[in-house]
Amino acid sequence: MDFSKLNFGIDGDSITAGEQWSWHVYKNLGLASHHNVAVGSSVWYKRTITCSAGSVTTQDYNDPNFAGISDGWEPTEDLNELQKRANNCAVVHIQRFISEVKNGEAPIPDIFAFAMGTNDDISCLGDAETALMGKSLDKNENINLFTEAGAMRWCIQRIMEEYPLARVFVLTPIQTATPQHNAKIEKQISAVMLKIAGQMGAQVIDCFHNCGICEKFEVIGGTGKYLRDGLHPDVPGQTLEGAYATKEIRNNMF
C-alpha cells in the first residue's frame, strides 16, 4: 500500500495534541497529511460545569454563540473560560474536524484515529449496550452524549458516515505512574471502549497493555522512563507509542 497518498485525521487529549505519537505515525508511514484536532484536558462527552457564578453546558461547534475551546484545568470562576472548557470534548472536536474538511482547510481522511479517555470521569461512563442500540444517530434517545459510551458511539459513527472509505482506529489511553488512575482506565477499556469500538467496527489499538509504557517504571509527579511527569510522554515515550501505533495501523490497513 502506498501510504504517501493517504491522509491522517486524529482526535485526542494532551497526550495527542500537537506533534506527539500521531506525528511519528505520520512520519513513519510517510502519510500525505496530519490533521490533528486534539486538545489538552479533553474528554469524550459533553458536560455541564457549575461554579458559584453559575453553570455552563457544552455548546455545538456550529452554535452562532460558540465560545471556543480551552485546554485549561486550573480552578476558575470565569464562566467564559468554563464554557470553553465544557466545549473541550470529542463531540465538539469531531464537529470541528468535519467543518474544517468541508471548508477546505484539511483533506478528507483515509485513516482516522481517536485517542481519548485519560481525563474521563468514571461516573460518566454510561452503559455501552444502551448506547449501541438502534442504527441511526438521529433522534436516538439511547445515545446520551453526556456519557463516554454515548459520545464514543456518536463520534465513531459520525466519522464513518461522513467518510465511508476511511479506516477508523481507537487507541486506549496509556498507563500512567498512578495505580489508581490506571485502574480507572482499565475499567473504561473493559466496560466501554472495547464494546463500543468492537460493535462499531473500529480497530482497537491497545496502548495501555501493549505499547511498552509501564506504571512500574514511572514516577508520580516526576520524570520516569517514558513519562516526564507521571502522565505525559516525553520524546522517547511519544516515539515508542508512535512506533506501536504505526505497526498496528500499517498491519491493519493491508
Side-chain angles (χ1 to χ4, degrees), residues 9-224:
I10 312 97
D11 187 23
D13 49 38
S14 60
I15 293 171
T16 299
E19 297 180 357
Q20 300 191 74
W21 68 265
S22 64
W23 183 257
H24 287 282
V25 173
Y26 161 67
K27 300 298 286 185
N28 292 342
L29 293 177
L31 292 158
S33 66
H34 177 260
H35 183 201
N36 186 359
V37 294
V39 180
S41 303
S42 60
V43 296
W44 275 103
Y45 46 84
K46 291 185 173 185
R47 52 190 164 168
T48 296
I49 299 175
T50 301
C51 70
S52 61
S55 64
V56 292
T57 299
T58 304
Q59 300 169 304
D60 287 323
Y61 185 72
N62 61 0
D63 187 318
N65 297 313
F66 187 69
I69 301 172
S70 172
D71 64 356
W73 56 272
E74 294 180 340
T76 182
E77 299 285 303
D78 184 334
L79 281 180
N80 185 57
E81 168 63 16
L82 291 176
Q83 180 66 73
K84 294 178 181 179
R85 293 183 188 184
N87 293 342
N88 189 16
C89 66
V91 173
V92 175
H93 294 182
I94 295 311
Q95 293 171 341
R96 171 189 171 190
F97 183 94
I98 292 171
S99 176
E100 290 176 349
V101 172
K102 285 182 176 179
N103 291 338
E105 299 173 52
I108 293 173
D110 301 287
I111 304 169
F112 193 95
F114 291 95
M116 304 286 295
T118 295
N119 303 310
D120 287 28
D121 193 303
I122 203 73
S123 66
C124 297
L125 293 185
D127 180 67
E129 286 76 10
T130 301
L132 287 163
M133 293 176 67
K135 295 182 181 294
S136 174
L137 297 179
D138 187 41
K139 298 179 181 178
N140 189 335
E141 296 178 355
N142 301 298
I143 302 174
N144 183 354
L145 296 182
F146 287 80
T147 66
E148 182 180 282
M152 185 177 177
R153 187 259 170 101
W154 187 93
C155 289
I156 292 173
Q157 187 164 342
R158 193 69 192 85
I159 287 292
M160 288 179 166
E161 288 178 345
E162 191 73 25
Y163 314 113
L165 299 181
R167 285 293 302 277
V168 178
F169 294 84
V170 175
L171 280 68
T172 65
I174 60 173
Q175 291 186 37
T176 72
T178 308
Q180 296 87 345
H181 188 261
N182 294 338
K184 180 206 78 166
I185 292 173
E186 281 206 283
K187 183 173 181 180
Q188 286 177 247
I189 293 170
S190 62
V192 173
M193 300 191 78
L194 293 180
K195 293 177 182 178
I196 298 290
Q199 288 290 322
M200 295 302 298
Q203 179 70 44
V204 175
I205 299 178
D206 191 353
C207 294
F208 185 87
H209 295 105
N210 298 325
C211 81
I213 297 174
C214 174
E215 170 257 320
K216 305 304 180 190
F217 303 100
E218 304 303 335
V219 179
I220 297 174
T223 302

Side-chain angles (χ1 to χ4, degrees), residues 233-250:
D234 55 16
V235 172
Q238 296 165 13
T239 304
L240 182 68
E241 185 180 8
Y244 174 61
T246 297
K247 174 183 72 71
E248 292 295 296
I249 291 172
R250 181 189 63 228

